[in-house]
Amino acid sequence: MNAMTSPLNATDGRRAARSHIHTPRLETPFHPRLAALSETSDWYSWAGYKAPHTLFDEELEYFAIRSTSALFDISPMVKYRIAGPDAERYLNRLTLRDVRKLGINRVHYTAWCDDHGHVLDDGTLFRLGENTFRLCCQERHLPWLLDSAFGFSVDIHEETEEIAGLALQGPTSCSTLLAAGFSGVERLKPFDIASVPHETGTVTISRTGFTGDLGYEIFVPRALALSLWDRLWQAGQPHGIRAIGYAALNTARIEAGFIVANTDFITAEGALRADRVRMPDEVGLDWLVDADKPSFNGRKAILEARRNQTLKHILVGLEIEGNIPAEHALVYHGKKREAGLVTAAIWSPTAKRNIAIATLDRPYGVKFTDDLWVEIYALRELRYQKMMKRARIVPRPFVKLARRTTTPPGSF
């Protein structure tokens, strides 16, 4: 047997042949600090980046959000810089809300659809100047954004790798920023933006977040990321600052009633089946649609669906009896007819309620709102125990905190 046909070399050859599909996860600019703090080595992939699911304890990380302040790395969030003379007109054509109403140094939550009115993604739009915007979202859309820019004088550039981001959330988040020397942040109202100096550059601070709590999001050039982390970390020690992973953030966002693309709904580009796509009204985003705008992607289809009452789904909040989370449980009407699916569920530590977000097939959730049940399978000593628990539709958010909108925030 020669070297060319030995079993060892054949195995190496097979490995080499498929090595092109092994893409290592990228590390965010804050990864050195997160890795040093990690006690669990519990990492997951977020948009190709290595991100913490937990760092030390999911429950304690959650209570950092609600009791002190929590630092979460949002660098993998996809970020586009959109600028040029037609930037406002372009974004107004692209998204559901009226961008003309968005002032400079303000943010608004929005979504965008394809021509059939199906949601492509949701996210936040930052107006950094008269003709300069930053669009932050879950999925990558650069080819679609570029195609949509035909006929507009606008420049679109993905800056995900260039701009690092942190979410600082919780009742002591403002106190931490003030202690770090970022004076004036106490005057920021919800969805306000401020640009403040940091070392040789500038950081952008917005009063936004994904927790339903007092909080801020901070964007900084990649080269200044670690010095920003260290500045916040040192200033936050007297205020109980903790680094957190996604598990804790997810609990807080469910309490706040916020939805996640490709978790609570499938994006139009991600759907493999035609019946999985959703219109804004079917995922609780009907309030984003500015029907007075003359033209935007999907406008005709969305308004026709409303007029003809052809909407097929509805997203609702549920309160479920008992204390076992109903994650991915089927929803039934009268214990017999399948009515929908739970997309996210937790036992809420703050509300002390068993809560869930669910997508229902109309007319359930619209005409039939009573006699709803969820089918839960609880693992008990290597056996699943089937439970049928009563559920009722309740408004979101499940947890509403006054400090989220109070200006200036209280000193905690």
Side-chain angles (χ1 to χ4, degrees):
M1 182 180 293
N2 59 45
M4 293 297 293
T5 57
S6 70
L8 179 61
N9 284 339
T11 299
D12 289 344
R14 286 193 296 270
R15 287 174 179 166
R18 63 174 183 264
S19 63
H20 67 284
I21 66 172
H22 292 165
T23 303
R25 288 182 294 186
L26 302 171
E27 294 181 353
T28 76
F30 299 110
H31 183 76
R33 299 296 184 265
L34 292 168
L37 293 169
S38 176
E39 298 176 9
T40 60
S41 294
D42 184 12
W43 305 92
Y44 75 104
S45 292
W46 175 10
Y49 285 86
K50 189 175 183 180
H53 186 254
T54 60
L55 286 167
F56 58 97
D57 181 272
E58 178 181 340
E59 186 174 347
L60 293 178
E61 291 172 41
Y62 163 81
F63 280 110
I65 300 172
R66 293 291 184 242
S67 303
T68 55
S69 59
L71 202 56
F72 180 72
D73 183 3
I74 57 173
S75 299
M77 184 168 60
V78 182
K79 299 175 282 290
Y80 295 103
R81 193 172 189 87
I82 299 171
D86 290 339
E88 180 190 271
R89 194 163 64 91
Y90 163 72
L91 287 164
N92 210 35
R93 174 69 171 78
L94 188 80
T95 62
L96 298 178
R97 297 184 74 174
D98 195 335
V99 180
R100 296 171 298 183
K101 299 177 183 177
L102 181 61
I104 297 173
N105 291 326
R106 290 283 292 170
V107 189
H108 71 200
Y109 173 59
T110 191
W112 46 101
C113 301
D114 62 16
D115 290 338
H116 303 289
H118 299 137
V119 179
L120 284 160
D121 209 345
D122 64 339
T124 46
L125 181 63
F126 295 68
R127 188 163 200 163
L128 305 176
E130 182 66 30
N131 298 311
T132 304
F133 298 81
R134 174 179 292 145
L135 182 65
C136 298
C137 51
Q138 178 78 5
E139 305 295 326
R140 284 187 163 82
H141 300 285
L142 188 57
W144 183 79
L145 292 174
L146 292 173
D147 288 345
S148 301
F150 182 79
F152 293 95
S153 180
V154 64
D155 179 69
I156 303 167
H157 169 69
E158 182 175 349
E159 56 181 12
T160 306
E161 293 188 21
E162 302 166 19
I163 302 296
L166 289 171
L168 181 65
Q169 304 285 300
T172 67
S173 55
C174 184
S175 298
T176 295
L177 287 171
L178 291 173
F182 294 116
S183 59
V185 293
E186 74 280 5
R187 295 191 294 271
L188 291 179
K189 297 177 181 179
F191 300 101
D192 274 352
I193 303 172
S195 295
V196 295
H198 171 67
E199 292 195 337
T200 58
T202 301
V203 300
T204 301
I205 302 176
S206 61
R207 189 169 169 181
T208 51
F210 203 54
T211 63
D213 215 310
L214 172 63
Y216 303 84
E217 291 177 323
I218 311 163
F219 298 93
V220 63
R222 185 184 186 95
L224 301 178
L226 291 181
S227 62
L228 173 65
W229 177 286
D230 294 341
R231 180 176 177 178
L232 294 172
W233 194 252
Q234 182 178 0
Q237 292 307 307
H239 303 287
I241 194 170
R242 294 272 197 167
I244 66 165
Y246 180 73
L249 183 78
N250 188 55
T251 298
R253 75 90 182 171
I254 294 172
E255 289 182 331
F258 295 148
I259 60 174
V260 174
N262 290 320
T263 296
D264 299 299
F265 70 95
I266 303 299
T267 63
E269 286 186 333
L272 300 178
R273 298 168 179 83
D275 63 342
R276 300 301 195 265
V277 293
R278 296 291 188 269
M279 287 185 160
D281 296 33
E282 297 177 313
V283 292
L285 300 182
D286 50 298
W287 62 277
L288 294 179
V289 178
D290 194 328
D292 293 332
K293 288 203 302 181
S295 181
F296 57 88
N297 287 5
R299 181 181 188 274
K300 180 180 178 181
I302 292 168
L303 298 185
E304 280 186 356
R306 289 180 176 181
R307 184 169 54 253
N308 299 330
Q309 298 184 358
T310 55
L311 296 164
K312 299 178 180 178
H313 310 279
I314 186 171
L315 195 88
V316 299
L318 295 179
E319 183 176 341
I320 300 164
E321 68 175 334
N323 59 4
I324 300 174
E327 191 169 10
H328 302 309
L330 288 173
V331 182
Y332 288 89
H333 180 256
K335 293 188 179 181
K336 294 179 180 180
R337 294 185 179 274
E338 189 174 321
L341 177 72
V342 170
T343 59
I346 57 164
W347 168 260
S348 167
T350 296
K352 301 296 187 290
R353 294 189 292 162
N354 197 13
I355 59 175
I357 297 171
T359 179
L360 304 182
D361 301 325
R362 295 176 186 240
Y364 303 110
V366 180
K367 183 178 180 180
F368 302 111
T369 57
D370 297 324
D371 202 15
L372 295 176
W373 299 78
V374 294
E375 183 181 59
I376 302 173
Y377 286 84
L379 185 61
R380 307 288 197 190
E381 297 181 342
L382 302 183
R383 286 197 177 189
Y384 278 104
Q385 179 181 348
K386 177 182 174 180
M387 305 175 182
M388 292 294 286
K389 295 292 184 180
R390 188 178 292 276
R392 65 186 184 94
I393 296 175
V394 296
R396 296 178 291 144
F398 303 101
V399 172
K400 191 172 184 178
L401 301 169
R403 62 177 177 252
R404 182 190 179 209
T405 57
T406 301
T407 307
S411 180
F412 294 93

